[in-house]
Structures are given as structure tokens and as C-alpha cells.
Amino acid sequence: MNDEDILRIGSFEFRSRLFTGTGKYPDPETARAALRESGCEVVTVAVRRVDLADRTPDSIIGILLQGGYTILPNTAGCYTVEDAVRTARLAREMLDTPLVKLEVIGDERTLFPDVPATIEAAKILVKEGFVVLPYFNDDPVAAKRLEDIGCAAVMPLAAPIGSGLGIRNPTNLEIIVEHANVPVIVDAGVGTASDATIAMELGVDALLMNTAIASAKDPVRMARAMKLGVEAGRLAYRAGRIPKKLYATASSPLEGVIGSKHS
């Protein structure tokens, strides 16, 4: 990766544009190996589902501290503004970080976010000095409102959490990217490396995924594949693809070719 291609979120700087999670791995050793193969620097942790005080070698927090990862606490499982704010405060106290991935879920079956509640919680947390990364629907209007509040990044979904459906609405993601003045991190729905590449080619700044890696038949190999997919998509986006055309265009120049009507 180019030395100048640094991802900046608030005062934090990262080289890897792949963020990962910690849930659903079959055992600690697989989790440790997959995180290493992914090349990620940021790992999100569900505060309500993890013992933050357990720092033993095979605990989630222990693995992350040993690996030198930046921990991104999240408020997964919260269904109200009050619960999400309380969980974020607990994470800051226990993990000594201002970072928080804000989730306020609105539907238990689909796990779609409650966007009005997310906006309300974001206002509170930003005022309290948190570096807020909110998870929300792929809605350009919501993205703008969250940015205007002061969120350090915005995290639109690609598809429902854990669905593996890939990018369902690339047009909305492109609109969000076009208008955003903060990093855009696609969160949820990626299933395989090609999904990661497609998302990055749209111009998003990073991806966050967990199930696609942890629940793969071989999580370690999938972690490596996701790393390469993200890097390929980022390189392609920065290189600038050729425009799409309805008809063929010769790959080799025709000018000066003997017998060509152009010569």
C-alpha cells in the first residue's frame, strides 16, 4: 500500500482498511490466526457480550492486547438510546478509548438500525468527546445528518448483518461517498472477497466484517482473501477504471497500421 494512503478517523491513523470483529470463531487460536492473516489494525468488540475485565491470554481482550490491535468497542444488542449511551460509557471506562461503534437496533429479526435513535445517541456521545462511528441504513440523508452532528466516520450497511448478501444498493453507497467529508466504512453484509473488492471500488474508505470471515469454512484463508480483496479494490479505485462503453474498442492502436483505413 502506498505510504500516503493513510486512513484517518479523528486523531487516529491506520494503514489497513479492513476492520474485523471477534465473534463466531470456533476457538481462540483460529481467531488469533485469522486476525493476523487479515492484516487488520482495528478490531471491534461487542461490549455487552464480552467480559472486558478478562485479560487472560485466550480471552478476546487478551488476544487483542497481545496483538497490539486498536479496540473499537461497539454497542451491539442495544435497542434504546439510553442503553447505547450507557454501554459506550462503560466501554470508555473499561478500555480507556474514546472510540465507539454506535449501534441502536430497531428490529430484532433483521437487526436493521433505528436511525432516529442512532442520531439521538450520536449527539449525546459526540458532546461527551467520543469518536463516534455510527452504523445505519444506506441512507444518504442519514449519513449527512450523522456527519453534521460530528461523527468521525459513517458506517452504512451493505446488507443485513451476517447475511452475506454483498452490496445490495451500490448507488446509495456511491452517493454517500460523493457527499461525505468523513470516512465511509461499509459495515455488515459482505460475504466474500469479491464483495469487498466491489465495495472498495465504489470509493468507500474501509470495510468492517466479522461473520464473512469467522463463519467461513476456513476463517484463516478467508481472512487473507478479504485482505487481498480490500487492497485490490482500493488500488483499482485509486487507479481509475476505464469508462463503460456499449461497443467494442480495439485494444491496440490502429493509427499507422498498414492496410488500416486510419493509416
Tab-separated table of all heavy atoms in Angstrom, residues 44-84:
chain	number	residue	atom	x	y	z
A	44	THR	N	-13.356	-4.734	16.314
A	44	THR	CA	-14.495	-4.302	17.113
A	44	THR	C	-14.916	-5.391	18.089
A	44	THR	O	-14.807	-6.586	17.801
A	44	THR	CB	-15.678	-3.897	16.206
A	44	THR	OG1	-16.698	-3.294	16.999
A	44	THR	CG2	-16.251	-5.083	15.468
A	45	VAL	N	-15.387	-4.951	19.254
A	45	VAL	CA	-15.774	-5.859	20.331
A	45	VAL	C	-17.147	-5.454	20.853
A	45	VAL	O	-17.372	-4.272	21.144
A	45	VAL	CB	-14.752	-5.802	21.488
A	45	VAL	CG1	-15.234	-6.632	22.669
A	45	VAL	CG2	-13.391	-6.286	21.022
A	46	ALA	N	-18.053	-6.427	20.948
A	46	ALA	CA	-19.386	-6.168	21.481
A	46	ALA	C	-19.308	-6.073	23.000
A	46	ALA	O	-19.110	-7.079	23.683
A	46	ALA	CB	-20.343	-7.272	21.059
A	47	VAL	N	-19.451	-4.887	23.519
A	47	VAL	CA	-19.246	-4.626	24.942
A	47	VAL	C	-20.191	-5.446	25.806
A	47	VAL	O	-19.802	-5.958	26.870
A	47	VAL	CB	-19.427	-3.124	25.229
A	47	VAL	CG1	-19.305	-2.829	26.719
A	47	VAL	CG2	-18.405	-2.316	24.442
A	48	ARG	N	-21.431	-5.623	25.359
A	48	ARG	CA	-22.426	-6.326	26.176
A	48	ARG	C	-22.238	-7.841	26.157
A	48	ARG	O	-22.879	-8.542	26.925
A	48	ARG	CB	-23.828	-5.984	25.668
A	48	ARG	CG	-24.233	-4.534	25.902
A	48	ARG	CD	-25.462	-4.179	25.093
A	48	ARG	NE	-26.589	-5.058	25.387
A	48	ARG	CZ	-27.529	-4.802	26.282
A	48	ARG	NH1	-27.474	-3.690	26.995
A	48	ARG	NH2	-28.531	-5.631	26.473
A	49	ARG	N	-21.385	-8.350	25.267
A	49	ARG	CA	-21.249	-9.795	25.117
A	49	ARG	C	-19.861	-10.312	25.490
A	49	ARG	O	-19.560	-11.485	25.295
A	49	ARG	CB	-21.567	-10.185	23.671
A	49	ARG	CG	-22.998	-9.828	23.281
A	49	ARG	CD	-23.221	-9.914	21.789
A	49	ARG	NE	-24.573	-9.482	21.441
A	49	ARG	CZ	-24.957	-9.151	20.214
A	49	ARG	NH1	-24.090	-9.199	19.221
A	49	ARG	NH2	-26.208	-8.778	19.986
A	50	VAL	N	-19.013	-9.441	25.987
A	50	VAL	CA	-17.628	-9.797	26.303
A	50	VAL	C	-17.295	-9.333	27.712
A	50	VAL	O	-17.744	-8.265	28.144
A	50	VAL	CB	-16.653	-9.143	25.288
A	50	VAL	CG1	-15.214	-9.313	25.719
A	50	VAL	CG2	-16.861	-9.729	23.903
A	51	ASP	N	-16.512	-10.144	28.414
A	51	ASP	CA	-16.016	-9.741	29.729
A	51	ASP	C	-14.801	-8.846	29.516
A	51	ASP	O	-13.693	-9.318	29.252
A	51	ASP	CB	-15.642	-10.985	30.539
A	51	ASP	CG	-15.163	-10.629	31.948
A	51	ASP	OD1	-15.067	-9.423	32.263
A	51	ASP	OD2	-14.878	-11.566	32.720
A	52	LEU	N	-15.005	-7.566	29.625
A	52	LEU	CA	-13.929	-6.606	29.355
A	52	LEU	C	-12.810	-6.681	30.385
A	52	LEU	O	-11.685	-6.244	30.114
A	52	LEU	CB	-14.496	-5.186	29.315
A	52	LEU	CG	-15.577	-4.909	28.266
A	52	LEU	CD1	-16.006	-3.447	28.337
A	52	LEU	CD2	-15.101	-5.246	26.873
A	53	ALA	N	-13.088	-7.252	31.536
A	53	ALA	CA	-12.078	-7.342	32.583
A	53	ALA	C	-11.185	-8.568	32.432
A	53	ALA	O	-10.130	-8.651	33.064
A	53	ALA	CB	-12.750	-7.363	33.956
A	54	ASP	N	-11.592	-9.512	31.578
A	54	ASP	CA	-10.813	-10.741	31.395
A	54	ASP	C	-9.670	-10.482	30.421
A	54	ASP	O	-9.885	-10.305	29.220
A	54	ASP	CB	-11.732	-11.856	30.871
A	54	ASP	CG	-11.015	-13.198	30.763
A	54	ASP	OD1	-9.797	-13.254	31.067
A	54	ASP	OD2	-11.670	-14.186	30.370
A	55	ARG	N	-8.464	-10.469	30.920
A	55	ARG	CA	-7.296	-10.199	30.097
A	55	ARG	C	-6.387	-11.437	29.980
A	55	ARG	O	-5.218	-11.317	29.657
A	55	ARG	CB	-6.491	-9.030	30.686
A	55	ARG	CG	-7.337	-7.774	30.993
A	55	ARG	CD	-7.938	-7.172	29.742
A	55	ARG	NE	-8.887	-6.117	30.015
A	55	ARG	CZ	-8.574	-4.816	30.087
A	55	ARG	NH1	-7.338	-4.435	29.928
A	55	ARG	NH2	-9.510	-3.906	30.329
A	56	THR	N	-6.934	-12.620	30.251
A	56	THR	CA	-6.152	-13.848	30.133
A	56	THR	C	-5.772	-14.079	28.672
A	56	THR	O	-6.437	-13.572	27.766
A	56	THR	CB	-6.941	-15.058	30.663
A	56	THR	OG1	-8.211	-15.115	29.989
A	56	THR	CG2	-7.169	-14.925	32.161
A	57	PRO	N	-4.709	-14.858	28.391
A	57	PRO	CA	-4.180	-14.978	27.028
A	57	PRO	C	-5.185	-15.402	25.965
A	57	PRO	O	-5.102	-14.930	24.831
A	57	PRO	CB	-3.066	-16.023	27.179
A	57	PRO	CG	-2.602	-15.853	28.576
A	57	PRO	CD	-3.834	-15.539	29.367
A	58	ASP	N	-6.135	-16.280	26.308
A	58	ASP	CA	-7.091	-16.750	25.312
A	58	ASP	C	-8.438	-16.034	25.356
A	58	ASP	O	-9.377	-16.418	24.663
A	58	ASP	CB	-7.321	-18.263	25.470
A	58	ASP	CG	-6.166	-19.082	24.896
A	58	ASP	OD1	-5.378	-18.521	24.102
A	58	ASP	OD2	-6.055	-20.271	25.237
A	59	SER	N	-8.535	-14.993	26.175
A	59	SER	CA	-9.753	-14.182	26.168
A	59	SER	C	-9.721	-13.238	24.976
A	59	SER	O	-8.652	-12.978	24.403
A	59	SER	CB	-9.860	-13.372	27.457
A	59	SER	OG	-8.850	-12.358	27.476
A	60	ILE	N	-10.867	-12.741	24.586
A	60	ILE	CA	-10.919	-11.832	23.438
A	60	ILE	C	-10.057	-10.600	23.683
A	60	ILE	O	-9.236	-10.210	22.835
A	60	ILE	CB	-12.376	-11.428	23.140
A	60	ILE	CG1	-13.144	-12.621	22.546
A	60	ILE	CG2	-12.423	-10.238	22.185
A	60	ILE	CD1	-14.603	-12.362	22.314
A	61	ILE	N	-10.228	-9.974	24.830
A	61	ILE	CA	-9.441	-8.774	25.125
A	61	ILE	C	-7.961	-9.116	25.223
A	61	ILE	O	-7.095	-8.365	24.734
A	61	ILE	CB	-9.934	-8.102	26.419
A	61	ILE	CG1	-11.408	-7.710	26.282
A	61	ILE	CG2	-9.093	-6.872	26.730
A	61	ILE	CD1	-11.710	-6.755	25.151
A	62	GLY	N	-7.653	-10.272	25.801
A	62	GLY	CA	-6.259	-10.694	25.898
A	62	GLY	C	-5.616	-10.866	24.539
A	62	GLY	O	-4.477	-10.436	24.303
A	63	ILE	N	-6.333	-11.504	23.612
A	63	ILE	CA	-5.815	-11.711	22.258
A	63	ILE	C	-5.555	-10.364	21.575
A	63	ILE	O	-4.524	-10.173	20.917
A	63	ILE	CB	-6.810	-12.551	21.428
A	63	ILE	CG1	-6.820	-13.999	21.924
A	63	ILE	CG2	-6.462	-12.510	19.935
A	63	ILE	CD1	-7.919	-14.846	21.312
A	64	LEU	N	-6.472	-9.425	21.745
A	64	LEU	CA	-6.330	-8.131	21.078
A	64	LEU	C	-5.184	-7.312	21.674
A	64	LEU	O	-4.437	-6.651	20.948
A	64	LEU	CB	-7.642	-7.349	21.163
A	64	LEU	CG	-8.849	-8.015	20.494
A	64	LEU	CD1	-10.067	-7.109	20.582
A	64	LEU	CD2	-8.551	-8.363	19.043
A	65	LEU	N	-5.039	-7.375	22.979
A	65	LEU	CA	-3.942	-6.640	23.608
A	65	LEU	C	-2.598	-7.244	23.211
A	65	LEU	O	-1.637	-6.508	22.922
A	65	LEU	CB	-4.112	-6.665	25.128
A	65	LEU	CG	-5.293	-5.860	25.681
A	65	LEU	CD1	-5.399	-6.043	27.185
A	65	LEU	CD2	-5.164	-4.376	25.337
A	66	GLN	N	-2.513	-8.567	23.168
A	66	GLN	CA	-1.265	-9.223	22.757
A	66	GLN	C	-0.901	-8.855	21.321
A	66	GLN	O	0.274	-8.683	20.989
A	66	GLN	CB	-1.420	-10.742	22.856
A	66	GLN	CG	-1.511	-11.297	24.267
A	66	GLN	CD	-1.935	-12.749	24.257
A	66	GLN	OE1	-1.701	-13.478	23.303
A	66	GLN	NE2	-2.589	-13.165	25.324
A	67	GLY	N	-1.925	-8.747	20.469
A	67	GLY	CA	-1.676	-8.464	19.056
A	67	GLY	C	-1.464	-6.999	18.748
A	67	GLY	O	-1.149	-6.647	17.597
A	68	GLY	N	-1.653	-6.129	19.726
A	68	GLY	CA	-1.444	-4.707	19.511
A	68	GLY	C	-2.522	-4.041	18.663
A	68	GLY	O	-2.282	-3.010	18.031
A	69	TYR	N	-3.720	-4.629	18.643
A	69	TYR	CA	-4.812	-4.074	17.835
A	69	TYR	C	-5.461	-2.868	18.522
A	69	TYR	O	-5.473	-2.770	19.753
A	69	TYR	CB	-5.889	-5.134	17.592
A	69	TYR	CG	-5.384	-6.352	16.851
A	69	TYR	CD1	-5.067	-7.521	17.528
A	69	TYR	CD2	-5.216	-6.322	15.466
A	69	TYR	CE1	-4.592	-8.636	16.845
A	69	TYR	CE2	-4.745	-7.427	14.785
A	69	TYR	CZ	-4.432	-8.587	15.476
A	69	TYR	OH	-3.958	-9.681	14.809
A	70	THR	N	-6.000	-1.970	17.715
A	70	THR	CA	-6.841	-0.904	18.237
A	70	THR	C	-8.227	-1.471	18.465
A	70	THR	O	-8.847	-1.999	17.539
A	70	THR	CB	-6.920	0.269	17.242
A	70	THR	OG1	-5.617	0.845	17.094
A	70	THR	CG2	-7.883	1.338	17.742
A	71	ILE	N	-8.705	-1.398	19.690
A	71	ILE	CA	-10.020	-1.955	20.015
A	71	ILE	C	-11.094	-0.913	19.751
A	71	ILE	O	-11.009	0.219	20.230
A	71	ILE	CB	-10.062	-2.414	21.485
A	71	ILE	CG1	-9.009	-3.522	21.723
A	71	ILE	CG2	-11.455	-2.912	21.851
A	71	ILE	CD1	-8.908	-3.973	23.170
A	72	LEU	N	-12.092	-1.329	18.983
A	72	LEU	CA	-13.245	-0.478	18.684
A	72	LEU	C	-14.461	-1.069	19.396
A	72	LEU	O	-15.082	-2.002	18.893
A	72	LEU	CB	-13.486	-0.420	17.166
A	72	LEU	CG	-14.758	0.285	16.685
A	72	LEU	CD1	-14.777	1.748	17.119
A	72	LEU	CD2	-14.890	0.169	15.163
A	73	PRO	N	-14.797	-0.576	20.579
A	73	PRO	CA	-15.978	-1.097	21.278
A	73	PRO	C	-17.238	-0.800	20.478
A	73	PRO	O	-17.338	0.242	19.816
A	73	PRO	CB	-15.980	-0.327	22.604
A	73	PRO	CG	-14.641	0.316	22.700
A	73	PRO	CD	-14.149	0.518	21.306
A	74	ASN	N	-18.197	-1.708	20.525
A	74	ASN	CA	-19.479	-1.440	19.870
A	74	ASN	C	-20.633	-1.691	20.819
A	74	ASN	O	-20.505	-2.416	21.810
A	74	ASN	CB	-19.616	-2.235	18.568
A	74	ASN	CG	-19.820	-3.719	18.787
A	74	ASN	OD1	-20.785	-4.149	19.387
A	74	ASN	ND2	-18.884	-4.523	18.268
A	75	THR	N	-21.751	-1.072	20.486
A	75	THR	CA	-22.938	-1.163	21.344
A	75	THR	C	-23.945	-2.156	20.784
A	75	THR	O	-25.156	-1.965	20.913
A	75	THR	CB	-23.595	0.224	21.515
A	75	THR	OG1	-24.018	0.702	20.226
A	75	THR	CG2	-22.622	1.223	22.128
A	76	ALA	N	-23.461	-3.233	20.177
A	76	ALA	CA	-24.348	-4.270	19.631
A	76	ALA	C	-25.271	-4.793	20.721
A	76	ALA	O	-24.871	-4.975	21.866
A	76	ALA	CB	-23.512	-5.412	19.063
A	77	GLY	N	-26.526	-5.025	20.344
A	77	GLY	CA	-27.504	-5.532	21.290
A	77	GLY	C	-28.280	-4.461	22.012
A	77	GLY	O	-29.167	-4.764	22.820
A	78	CYS	N	-27.991	-3.202	21.726
A	78	CYS	CA	-28.712	-2.098	22.357
A	78	CYS	C	-29.913	-1.698	21.503
A	78	CYS	O	-29.785	-1.535	20.288
A	78	CYS	CB	-27.792	-0.902	22.564
A	78	CYS	SG	-26.444	-1.213	23.734
A	79	TYR	N	-31.056	-1.503	22.146
A	79	TYR	CA	-32.287	-1.167	21.434
A	79	TYR	C	-32.844	0.195	21.820
A	79	TYR	O	-33.877	0.604	21.297
A	79	TYR	CB	-33.353	-2.246	21.692
A	79	TYR	CG	-33.074	-3.553	20.972
A	79	TYR	CD1	-32.179	-4.472	21.493
A	79	TYR	CD2	-33.687	-3.852	19.755
A	79	TYR	CE1	-31.913	-5.665	20.834
A	79	TYR	CE2	-33.428	-5.036	19.090
A	79	TYR	CZ	-32.538	-5.939	19.637
A	79	TYR	OH	-32.274	-7.113	18.965
A	80	THR	N	-32.174	0.894	22.713
A	80	THR	CA	-32.626	2.231	23.109
A	80	THR	C	-31.437	3.184	23.153
A	80	THR	O	-30.272	2.757	23.273
A	80	THR	CB	-33.287	2.222	24.502
A	80	THR	OG1	-32.293	1.905	25.494
A	80	THR	CG2	-34.427	1.207	24.563
A	81	VAL	N	-31.727	4.450	23.090
A	81	VAL	CA	-30.688	5.473	23.182
A	81	VAL	C	-29.967	5.357	24.514
A	81	VAL	O	-28.727	5.387	24.583
A	81	VAL	CB	-31.302	6.884	23.034
A	81	VAL	CG1	-30.259	7.959	23.328
A	81	VAL	CG2	-31.881	7.064	21.640
A	82	GLU	N	-30.734	5.217	25.580
A	82	GLU	CA	-30.163	5.167	26.923
A	82	GLU	C	-29.209	3.989	27.072
A	82	GLU	O	-28.112	4.114	27.645
A	82	GLU	CB	-31.278	5.076	27.968
A	82	GLU	CG	-32.166	6.296	28.051
A	82	GLU	CD	-33.153	6.401	26.884
A	82	GLU	OE1	-33.392	5.379	26.201
A	82	GLU	OE2	-33.671	7.513	26.657
A	83	ASP	N	-29.602	2.835	26.561
A	83	ASP	CA	-28.775	1.638	26.676
A	83	ASP	C	-27.476	1.786	25.884
A	83	ASP	O	-26.393	1.405	26.341
A	83	ASP	CB	-29.570	0.424	26.173
A	83	ASP	CG	-29.053	-0.876	26.768
A	83	ASP	OD1	-28.182	-0.832	27.658
A	83	ASP	OD2	-29.529	-1.947	26.347
A	84	ALA	N	-27.582	2.355	24.677
A	84	ALA	CA	-26.387	2.532	23.839
A	84	ALA	C	-25.408	3.508	24.476
A	84	ALA	O	-24.189	3.273	24.502
A	84	ALA	CB	-26.792	3.020	22.453
